[in-house]
PDB file of all heavy atoms in Angstrom:
ATOM      1  N   GLN A   1       8.839   6.698  -7.275  1.00  0.00           N
ATOM      2  CA  GLN A   1       9.797   6.521  -6.183  1.00  0.00           C
ATOM      3  C   GLN A   1       9.587   5.232  -5.388  1.00  0.00           C
ATOM      4  O   GLN A   1      10.212   5.041  -4.330  1.00  0.00           O
ATOM      5  CB  GLN A   1       9.777   7.706  -5.214  1.00  0.00           C
ATOM      6  CG  GLN A   1      10.472   8.950  -5.744  1.00  0.00           C
ATOM      7  CD  GLN A   1      10.506  10.072  -4.733  1.00  0.00           C
ATOM      8  OE1 GLN A   1       9.857  11.098  -4.928  1.00  0.00           O
ATOM      9  NE2 GLN A   1      11.239   9.884  -3.660  1.00  0.00           N
ATOM     10  N   ALA A   2       8.763   4.328  -5.841  1.00  0.00           N
ATOM     11  CA  ALA A   2       8.564   3.084  -5.106  1.00  0.00           C
ATOM     12  C   ALA A   2       9.808   2.202  -5.183  1.00  0.00           C
ATOM     13  O   ALA A   2      10.632   2.316  -6.091  1.00  0.00           O
ATOM     14  CB  ALA A   2       7.347   2.340  -5.641  1.00  0.00           C
ATOM     15  N   PHE A   3       9.928   1.303  -4.210  1.00  0.00           N
ATOM     16  CA  PHE A   3      11.059   0.383  -4.116  1.00  0.00           C
ATOM     17  C   PHE A   3      10.535  -1.030  -3.934  1.00  0.00           C
ATOM     18  O   PHE A   3       9.673  -1.281  -3.086  1.00  0.00           O
ATOM     19  CB  PHE A   3      11.945   0.757  -2.923  1.00  0.00           C
ATOM     20  CG  PHE A   3      13.036  -0.238  -2.629  1.00  0.00           C
ATOM     21  CD1 PHE A   3      14.262  -0.150  -3.257  1.00  0.00           C
ATOM     22  CD2 PHE A   3      12.828  -1.269  -1.727  1.00  0.00           C
ATOM     23  CE1 PHE A   3      15.271  -1.069  -2.994  1.00  0.00           C
ATOM     24  CE2 PHE A   3      13.820  -2.197  -1.450  1.00  0.00           C
ATOM     25  CZ  PHE A   3      15.045  -2.094  -2.082  1.00  0.00           C
ATOM     26  N   VAL A   4      11.098  -1.974  -4.732  1.00  0.00           N
ATOM     27  CA  VAL A   4      10.776  -3.398  -4.575  1.00  0.00           C
ATOM     28  C   VAL A   4      12.081  -4.130  -4.283  1.00  0.00           C
ATOM     29  O   VAL A   4      13.024  -4.076  -5.077  1.00  0.00           O
ATOM     30  CB  VAL A   4      10.097  -3.957  -5.838  1.00  0.00           C
ATOM     31  CG1 VAL A   4       9.864  -5.462  -5.701  1.00  0.00           C
ATOM     32  CG2 VAL A   4       8.770  -3.254  -6.079  1.00  0.00           C
ATOM     33  N   GLY A   5      12.142  -4.803  -3.138  1.00  0.00           N
ATOM     34  CA  GLY A   5      13.385  -5.385  -2.644  1.00  0.00           C
ATOM     35  C   GLY A   5      13.795  -6.682  -3.315  1.00  0.00           C
ATOM     36  O   GLY A   5      13.072  -7.242  -4.153  1.00  0.00           O
ATOM     37  N   VAL A   6      14.951  -7.165  -2.922  1.00  0.00           N
ATOM     38  CA  VAL A   6      15.540  -8.375  -3.487  1.00  0.00           C
ATOM     39  C   VAL A   6      14.562  -9.552  -3.387  1.00  0.00           C
ATOM     40  O   VAL A   6      14.025  -9.846  -2.301  1.00  0.00           O
ATOM     41  CB  VAL A   6      16.853  -8.714  -2.770  1.00  0.00           C
ATOM     42  CG1 VAL A   6      17.392 -10.071  -3.229  1.00  0.00           C
ATOM     43  CG2 VAL A   6      17.905  -7.625  -3.012  1.00  0.00           C
ATOM     44  N   ALA A   7      14.324 -10.199  -4.516  1.00  0.00           N
ATOM     45  CA  ALA A   7      13.506 -11.417  -4.588  1.00  0.00           C
ATOM     46  C   ALA A   7      12.058 -11.208  -4.139  1.00  0.00           C
ATOM     47  O   ALA A   7      11.349 -12.181  -3.864  1.00  0.00           O
ATOM     48  CB  ALA A   7      14.140 -12.558  -3.805  1.00  0.00           C
ATOM     49  N   ALA A   8      11.601  -9.976  -4.067  1.00  0.00           N
ATOM     50  CA  ALA A   8      10.187  -9.735  -3.786  1.00  0.00           C
ATOM     51  C   ALA A   8       9.352 -10.077  -5.019  1.00  0.00           C
ATOM     52  O   ALA A   8       9.845 -10.039  -6.152  1.00  0.00           O
ATOM     53  CB  ALA A   8       9.968  -8.278  -3.389  1.00  0.00           C
ATOM     54  N   VAL A   9       8.087 -10.424  -4.797  1.00  0.00           N
ATOM     55  CA  VAL A   9       7.185 -10.804  -5.885  1.00  0.00           C
ATOM     56  C   VAL A   9       5.928  -9.941  -5.802  1.00  0.00           C
ATOM     57  O   VAL A   9       5.321  -9.818  -4.734  1.00  0.00           O
ATOM     58  CB  VAL A   9       6.807 -12.297  -5.799  1.00  0.00           C
ATOM     59  CG1 VAL A   9       5.809 -12.655  -6.892  1.00  0.00           C
ATOM     60  CG2 VAL A   9       8.043 -13.181  -5.906  1.00  0.00           C
ATOM     61  N   VAL A  10       5.562  -9.356  -6.931  1.00  0.00           N
ATOM     62  CA  VAL A  10       4.364  -8.522  -7.001  1.00  0.00           C
ATOM     63  C   VAL A  10       3.380  -9.193  -7.957  1.00  0.00           C
ATOM     64  O   VAL A  10       3.692  -9.442  -9.122  1.00  0.00           O
ATOM     65  CB  VAL A  10       4.693  -7.099  -7.491  1.00  0.00           C
ATOM     66  CG1 VAL A  10       3.434  -6.230  -7.473  1.00  0.00           C
ATOM     67  CG2 VAL A  10       5.786  -6.470  -6.637  1.00  0.00           C
ATOM     68  N   ARG A  11       2.210  -9.487  -7.468  1.00  0.00           N
ATOM     69  CA  ARG A  11       1.192 -10.200  -8.242  1.00  0.00           C
ATOM     70  C   ARG A  11       0.704  -9.363  -9.427  1.00  0.00           C
ATOM     71  O   ARG A  11       0.726  -8.124  -9.397  1.00  0.00           O
ATOM     72  CB  ARG A  11       0.010 -10.514  -7.332  1.00  0.00           C
ATOM     73  CG  ARG A  11      -1.060 -11.403  -7.930  1.00  0.00           C
ATOM     74  CD  ARG A  11      -2.113 -11.674  -6.878  1.00  0.00           C
ATOM     75  NE  ARG A  11      -3.145 -12.587  -7.347  1.00  0.00           N
ATOM     76  CZ  ARG A  11      -4.125 -13.050  -6.576  1.00  0.00           C
ATOM     77  NH1 ARG A  11      -4.191 -12.671  -5.303  1.00  0.00           N
ATOM     78  NH2 ARG A  11      -5.020 -13.864  -7.066  1.00  0.00           N
ATOM     79  N   ASP A  12       0.234 -10.053 -10.488  1.00  0.00           N
ATOM     80  CA  ASP A  12      -0.328  -9.385 -11.662  1.00  0.00           C
ATOM     81  C   ASP A  12      -1.350  -8.328 -11.254  1.00  0.00           C
ATOM     82  O   ASP A  12      -2.211  -8.562 -10.397  1.00  0.00           O
ATOM     83  CB  ASP A  12      -1.047 -10.394 -12.566  1.00  0.00           C
ATOM     84  CG  ASP A  12      -0.119 -11.397 -13.213  1.00  0.00           C
ATOM     85  OD1 ASP A  12       1.107 -11.269 -13.045  1.00  0.00           O
ATOM     86  OD2 ASP A  12      -0.632 -12.311 -13.896  1.00  0.00           O
ATOM     87  N   GLY A  13      -1.269  -7.171 -11.887  1.00  0.00           N
ATOM     88  CA  GLY A  13      -2.291  -6.147 -11.739  1.00  0.00           C
ATOM     89  C   GLY A  13      -2.234  -5.313 -10.480  1.00  0.00           C
ATOM     90  O   GLY A  13      -3.064  -4.427 -10.288  1.00  0.00           O
ATOM     91  N   VAL A  14      -1.244  -5.542  -9.622  1.00  0.00           N
ATOM     92  CA  VAL A  14      -1.156  -4.804  -8.363  1.00  0.00           C
ATOM     93  C   VAL A  14      -0.633  -3.391  -8.615  1.00  0.00           C
ATOM     94  O   VAL A  14       0.244  -3.166  -9.450  1.00  0.00           O
ATOM     95  CB  VAL A  14      -0.249  -5.554  -7.356  1.00  0.00           C
ATOM     96  CG1 VAL A  14       0.170  -4.664  -6.201  1.00  0.00           C
ATOM     97  CG2 VAL A  14      -0.962  -6.793  -6.838  1.00  0.00           C
ATOM     98  N   HIS A  15      -1.168  -2.433  -7.884  1.00  0.00           N
ATOM     99  CA  HIS A  15      -0.672  -1.057  -7.917  1.00  0.00           C
ATOM    100  C   HIS A  15       0.134  -0.792  -6.655  1.00  0.00           C
ATOM    101  O   HIS A  15      -0.361  -0.993  -5.534  1.00  0.00           O
ATOM    102  CB  HIS A  15      -1.819  -0.053  -7.992  1.00  0.00           C
ATOM    103  CG  HIS A  15      -1.374   1.366  -7.784  1.00  0.00           C
ATOM    104  ND1 HIS A  15      -0.643   2.068  -8.730  1.00  0.00           N
ATOM    105  CD2 HIS A  15      -1.522   2.203  -6.709  1.00  0.00           C
ATOM    106  CE1 HIS A  15      -0.369   3.271  -8.261  1.00  0.00           C
ATOM    107  NE2 HIS A  15      -0.893   3.377  -7.044  1.00  0.00           N
ATOM    108  N   LEU A  16       1.382  -0.347  -6.830  1.00  0.00           N
ATOM    109  CA  LEU A  16       2.241   0.011  -5.702  1.00  0.00           C
ATOM    110  C   LEU A  16       2.191   1.521  -5.518  1.00  0.00           C
ATOM    111  O   LEU A  16       2.505   2.281  -6.441  1.00  0.00           O
ATOM    112  CB  LEU A  16       3.679  -0.434  -5.962  1.00  0.00           C
ATOM    113  CG  LEU A  16       3.883  -1.927  -6.257  1.00  0.00           C
ATOM    114  CD1 LEU A  16       5.357  -2.225  -6.498  1.00  0.00           C
ATOM    115  CD2 LEU A  16       3.347  -2.779  -5.114  1.00  0.00           C
ATOM    116  N   GLY A  17       1.789   1.961  -4.334  1.00  0.00           N
ATOM    117  CA  GLY A  17       1.663   3.387  -4.077  1.00  0.00           C
ATOM    118  C   GLY A  17       2.989   4.114  -4.172  1.00  0.00           C
ATOM    119  O   GLY A  17       4.071   3.534  -3.994  1.00  0.00           O
ATOM    120  N   ALA A  18       2.927   5.394  -4.463  1.00  0.00           N
ATOM    121  CA  ALA A  18       4.143   6.209  -4.569  1.00  0.00           C
ATOM    122  C   ALA A  18       4.951   6.123  -3.285  1.00  0.00           C
ATOM    123  O   ALA A  18       4.405   6.171  -2.177  1.00  0.00           O
ATOM    124  CB  ALA A  18       3.761   7.659  -4.856  1.00  0.00           C
ATOM    125  N   ARG A  19       6.242   5.948  -3.445  1.00  0.00           N
ATOM    126  CA  ARG A  19       7.217   5.893  -2.342  1.00  0.00           C
ATOM    127  C   ARG A  19       6.971   4.732  -1.390  1.00  0.00           C
ATOM    128  O   ARG A  19       7.467   4.734  -0.271  1.00  0.00           O
ATOM    129  CB  ARG A  19       7.237   7.229  -1.562  1.00  0.00           C
ATOM    130  CG  ARG A  19       7.627   8.432  -2.411  1.00  0.00           C
ATOM    131  CD  ARG A  19       7.402   9.738  -1.656  1.00  0.00           C
ATOM    132  NE  ARG A  19       6.012   9.850  -1.210  1.00  0.00           N
ATOM    133  CZ  ARG A  19       4.997  10.207  -1.998  1.00  0.00           C
ATOM    134  NH1 ARG A  19       5.208  10.510  -3.280  1.00  0.00           N
ATOM    135  NH2 ARG A  19       3.770  10.269  -1.514  1.00  0.00           N
ATOM    136  N   SER A  20       6.215   3.730  -1.813  1.00  0.00           N
ATOM    137  CA  SER A  20       6.047   2.546  -0.968  1.00  0.00           C
ATOM    138  C   SER A  20       7.285   1.677  -1.045  1.00  0.00           C
ATOM    139  O   SER A  20       8.059   1.725  -2.007  1.00  0.00           O
ATOM    140  CB  SER A  20       4.797   1.760  -1.368  1.00  0.00           C
ATOM    141  OG  SER A  20       4.888   1.299  -2.695  1.00  0.00           O
ATOM    142  N   PHE A  21       7.497   0.885  -0.016  1.00  0.00           N
ATOM    143  CA  PHE A  21       8.721   0.091   0.135  1.00  0.00           C
ATOM    144  C   PHE A  21       8.335  -1.358   0.389  1.00  0.00           C
ATOM    145  O   PHE A  21       7.674  -1.665   1.392  1.00  0.00           O
ATOM    146  CB  PHE A  21       9.542   0.635   1.305  1.00  0.00           C
ATOM    147  CG  PHE A  21      10.860  -0.048   1.526  1.00  0.00           C
ATOM    148  CD1 PHE A  21      12.034   0.513   1.050  1.00  0.00           C
ATOM    149  CD2 PHE A  21      10.934  -1.242   2.229  1.00  0.00           C
ATOM    150  CE1 PHE A  21      13.266  -0.113   1.258  1.00  0.00           C
ATOM    151  CE2 PHE A  21      12.153  -1.870   2.444  1.00  0.00           C
ATOM    152  CZ  PHE A  21      13.316  -1.309   1.958  1.00  0.00           C
ATOM    153  N   ALA A  22       8.725  -2.255  -0.516  1.00  0.00           N
ATOM    154  CA  ALA A  22       8.501  -3.691  -0.346  1.00  0.00           C
ATOM    155  C   ALA A  22       9.830  -4.341   0.023  1.00  0.00           C
ATOM    156  O   ALA A  22      10.784  -4.293  -0.753  1.00  0.00           O
ATOM    157  CB  ALA A  22       7.947  -4.296  -1.619  1.00  0.00           C
ATOM    158  N   GLY A  23       9.919  -4.928   1.188  1.00  0.00           N
ATOM    159  CA  GLY A  23      11.168  -5.492   1.668  1.00  0.00           C
ATOM    160  C   GLY A  23      11.585  -6.741   0.906  1.00  0.00           C
ATOM    161  O   GLY A  23      10.824  -7.320   0.121  1.00  0.00           O
ATOM    162  N   ALA A  24      12.814  -7.185   1.158  1.00  0.00           N
ATOM    163  CA  ALA A  24      13.350  -8.375   0.498  1.00  0.00           C
ATOM    164  C   ALA A  24      12.440  -9.572   0.750  1.00  0.00           C
ATOM    165  O   ALA A  24      12.018  -9.835   1.878  1.00  0.00           O
ATOM    166  CB  ALA A  24      14.749  -8.660   1.011  1.00  0.00           C
ATOM    167  N   GLY A  25      12.130 -10.300  -0.325  1.00  0.00           N
ATOM    168  CA  GLY A  25      11.331 -11.512  -0.226  1.00  0.00           C
ATOM    169  C   GLY A  25       9.851 -11.290   0.009  1.00  0.00           C
ATOM    170  O   GLY A  25       9.104 -12.259   0.200  1.00  0.00           O
ATOM    171  N   ALA A  26       9.398 -10.056  -0.008  1.00  0.00           N
ATOM    172  CA  ALA A  26       7.979  -9.787   0.237  1.00  0.00           C
ATOM    173  C   ALA A  26       7.125 -10.363  -0.896  1.00  0.00           C
ATOM    174  O   ALA A  26       7.545 -10.399  -2.054  1.00  0.00           O
ATOM    175  CB  ALA A  26       7.729  -8.281   0.352  1.00  0.00           C
ATOM    176  N   GLY A  27       5.913 -10.784  -0.553  1.00  0.00           N
ATOM    177  CA  GLY A  27       4.960 -11.260  -1.549  1.00  0.00           C
ATOM    178  C   GLY A  27       3.752 -10.345  -1.545  1.00  0.00           C
ATOM    179  O   GLY A  27       2.922 -10.418  -0.638  1.00  0.00           O
TER     180      GLY A  27
END
């Protein structure tokens, strides 16, 4: 259920927690 917003960038190997929310343009 995680969400990654418009133009956000997630670095190699990162774990996104369940239901976490990354806003637009987040790094």
Side-chain angles (χ1 to χ4, degrees):
Q1 284 183 248
F3 172 87
V4 176
V6 173
V9 177
V10 183
R11 187 177 183 175
D12 293 355
V14 165
H15 170 72
L16 303 180
R19 299 170 304 281
S20 61
F21 183 99

